Amino acid sequence: MASQKGCCKTGPGYATPLEAMSGPTETLIYVTAVYTGTGVQKPDYLATVDVDPSSPTYSKVIHRLPVPYVGDELHHTGSGRIYVVDTKTNPRAPSLHKVVEPSEIIEKTGLAYPHTSHCLASGDVMVSCLGDKDGNAKDNGFLLLDSDFNVKGRWEKPGHSPTFGYDYWYQPRHSTMISTSWGAPAAFTTGFNLQHVADGLYGRHLYVYNWPGGELRQTLDLGDSGLLPLEIRFLHDPSKDTGFVGSALSSNMIRFFKTKDGSWSHEVSIQVKPIKVQNWILPEMPGLITDFLISLDDRFLYFVNWLHGDIRQYNIEDVKNPVLTGQLWVGGLFQKGSPVVAVGEDGQTWQTDVPEVQGKKLRGGPQMIQLSLDGKRLYVTNSLFSVWDKQFYPEMVEKGAHILQIDVDSEKGGLKVNPNFFVDFGAEPDGPSLAHEMRYPGGDCTSDIWI
């Protein structure tokens, strides 16, 4: 889902990441809300949430923009459509500007399952695509739309497609783009099956391209320590030649970096050890790092463990030696009251204390995160993908997702839940929905790239 205002030519235009940090405090946040897979036969929609504490509608959904079709699974591309939303004309009530139909994308490029979009300095929009129309990964690649959102073609050169697709980030001063690998849509759209990993239907590689040329220059095999590398971020400082990728299944944060000879390498930076559990499908539970981000000053890295249920904050000022500075439990499969229990080294069982917010029990685990420009507020949703939600957190599909706001100590580090903010998507007019990706009207630390 792209936004007109998020594109390079019409965004707020901060010259540097540090300048963006002193931009205006957010008053609105846009959230994809999904009915696909929940049993509610209604279109998914874009929810506008009021995040201004001085507003009478603070912490409430103030507008809903339903898309025209049922079954899209917004953000995770259930249909392959790309919706372009006009957030500039009326930010509090965005409108649908254009629909790019999957038939046109497939006809002109062979691509399907569009996922991550970034704006380019040219005014074009580039979208990673995860496979072909039949859900095979082999024909995935990168879609280019022009500034009027017409299909231009593929970005990568012929014969330079990655084996799997998912996320990507580019660093123009180093003439490099790096993409990640989730898996074949035919596999992940049916739920998570470990056998599919063994069968080679999921990825473990990073793909290094020259930018903006589109030639695949290097493939980094992350091995067993890098299974299902999902989100990727360079440091925001455009002069830096390093960044991180979150390996979901291995539950490691992996740092990639440029070497003296100009090639790229990687190392495991942070390890989240699996936890021994009872009453679950496996004897050990991975954290499942599904999202992470870096503050605009490149001081702090935040990530979530969707299955364990914690949000973590690391100081990365010494980028080779991250230091844990904050950790908060806001869900997870072994919270108190759950049949699943964790087992310590000493054989003793334990469960996590998860706070209630405004009298509501927190459901699911932390999944997507978004940080305020000044780095002081972290927004958290809890839905991953409807079929995976149903598999791991069926109660959330039944009762709906929610958004939390976490107050961040951006000086010394530390995280705490803001008790005054809770958006309950279980109370939506058409029934409980699944809240997922979050964006601001004018760009953020997960979408903006400096050149």
Side-chain angles (χ1 to χ4, degrees):
M1 175 167 292
S3 146
Q4 275 188 293
K5 195 166 180 182
C7 284
C8 299
K9 295 200 292 188
T10 53
Y14 301 112
T16 66
L18 292 179
E19 191 180 304
M21 286 194 83
S22 56
T25 300
E26 73 281 1
T27 58
L28 300 171
I29 198 166
Y30 302 125
V31 188
T32 54
V34 170
Y35 277 128
T36 305
T38 66
V40 177
Q41 293 302 307
K42 295 275 187 178
D44 301 344
Y45 57 101
L46 185 69
T48 304
V49 175
D50 186 335
V51 295
D52 178 0
S54 66
S55 167
T57 50
Y58 175 61
S59 183
K60 289 185 168 51
V61 177
I62 58 170
H63 185 264
R64 297 167 185 85
L65 173 65
V67 294
Y69 303 95
V70 174
D72 278 311
E73 184 100 15
L74 292 180
H75 181 73
H76 274 145
T77 66
S79 69
R81 283 186 193 90
I82 296 175
Y83 292 104
V84 183
V85 175
D86 176 3
T87 62
K88 189 176 183 181
T89 305
N90 185 353
R92 295 177 68 84
S95 57
L96 194 57
H97 173 74
K98 184 170 184 174
V99 182
V100 186
E101 289 291 347
S103 55
E104 183 189 2
I105 299 171
I106 291 163
E107 180 189 340
K108 292 182 178 177
T109 67
L111 293 167
Y113 297 90
H115 187 266
T116 297
S117 60
H118 284 297
C119 298
L120 312 188
S122 62
D124 290 347
V125 178
M126 185 165 123
V127 186
S128 61
C129 294
L130 277 58
D132 66 10
K133 64 179 174 37
D134 299 316
N136 302 305
K138 63 180 173 60
D139 287 322
N140 79 88
F142 304 92
L143 169 68
L144 275 182
L145 305 175
D146 67 20
S147 55
D148 293 318
F149 309 102
N150 299 308
V151 175
K152 286 182 74 170
R154 285 180 179 245
W155 170 76
E156 78 277 13
K157 292 279 194 291
H160 288 256
S161 298
T163 311
F164 293 101
Y166 190 65
D167 197 20
Y168 74 94
W169 198 277
Y170 61 93
Q171 200 76 320
R173 292 192 199 175
H174 294 280
S175 306
T176 297
M177 184 276 269
I178 303 180
S179 68
T180 65
S181 39
W182 185 8
F188 65 70
T189 53
T190 61
F192 181 68
N193 182 340
L194 260 180
Q195 185 58 44
H196 287 162
V197 180
D199 292 345
L201 294 175
Y202 283 93
R204 62 180 205 187
H205 295 85
L206 300 183
Y207 302 94
V208 182
Y209 285 84
N210 74 318
W211 182 267
E215 293 160 340
L216 181 59
R217 291 284 174 83
Q218 194 180 349
T219 300
L220 298 177
D221 186 346
L222 305 180
D224 289 343
S225 64
L227 298 173
L228 278 68
L230 296 184
E231 308 293 333
I232 186 167
R233 320 267 185 245
F234 271 92
L235 295 185
H236 295 289
D237 179 342
S239 70
K240 300 295 187 187
D241 58 3
T242 188
F244 293 86
V245 60
S247 156
L249 187 57
S250 304
S251 300
N252 292 323
M253 289 303 308
I254 292 166
R255 186 175 77 88
F256 58 87
F257 51 92
K258 199 175 192 176
T259 64
K260 286 179 180 173
D261 69 4
S263 66
W264 294 79
S265 189
H266 69 280
E267 64 183 14
V268 174
S269 182
I270 301 165
Q271 290 181 293
V272 176
K273 292 191 168 69
I275 289 177
K276 289 182 181 175
V277 289
Q278 295 173 355
N279 310 321
W280 196 56
I281 52 175
L282 297 170
E284 289 193 336
M285 184 189 294
L288 211 73
I289 299 174
T290 51
D291 197 16
F292 86 96
L293 52 77
I294 297 169
S295 62
L296 285 170
D297 56 7
D298 291 333
R299 288 185 64 226
F300 289 104
L301 180 148
Y302 300 84
F303 70 78
V304 298
N305 289 301
W306 189 57
L307 297 181
H308 288 179
D310 58 318
I311 305 169
R312 298 193 188 189
Q313 176 197 44
Y314 285 81
N315 185 305
I316 56 167
E317 287 173 290
D318 178 355
V319 77
K320 295 179 181 177
N321 296 291
V323 177
L324 180 65
T325 49
Q327 185 175 22
L328 188 63
W329 298 90
V330 292
L333 283 167
F334 47 83
Q335 59 179 292
K336 284 184 178 166
S338 165
V340 181
V341 294
V343 182
E345 297 288 326
D346 56 3
Q348 296 293 310
T349 60
W350 58 280
Q351 290 182 306
T352 54
D353 276 311
V354 173
E356 288 191 347
V357 181
Q358 298 184 5
K360 299 286 177 67
K361 182 177 181 291
L362 300 186
R363 304 180 283 271
Q367 207 288 114
M368 298 299 289
I369 51 178
Q370 188 57 268
L371 188 66
S372 59
L373 296 181
D374 64 8
K376 294 179 179 177
R377 291 164 301 285
L378 189 72
Y379 297 89
V380 188
T381 57
N382 49 346
S383 165
L384 194 159
F385 184 47
S386 63
V387 288
W388 291 38
D389 293 350
K390 198 175 292 184
Q391 184 176 354
F392 294 103
Y393 291 113
E395 183 193 44
M396 181 172 61
V397 178
E398 178 191 326
K399 296 186 177 177
H402 48 61
I403 311 177
L404 304 175
Q405 188 193 76
I406 309 301
D407 290 329
V408 175
D409 184 334
S410 58
E411 296 299 317
K412 298 176 183 174
L415 305 170
K416 61 182 183 187
V417 174
N418 175 359
N420 301 315
F421 187 94
F422 184 77
V423 186
D424 186 1
F425 281 80
E428 285 293 88
D430 286 328
S433 66
L434 300 171
H436 188 66
E437 178 76 292
M438 294 170 285
R439 288 276 185 265
Y440 301 127
D444 50 66
C445 67
T446 60
S447 62
D448 288 15
I449 294 174
W450 275 266
I451 55 176

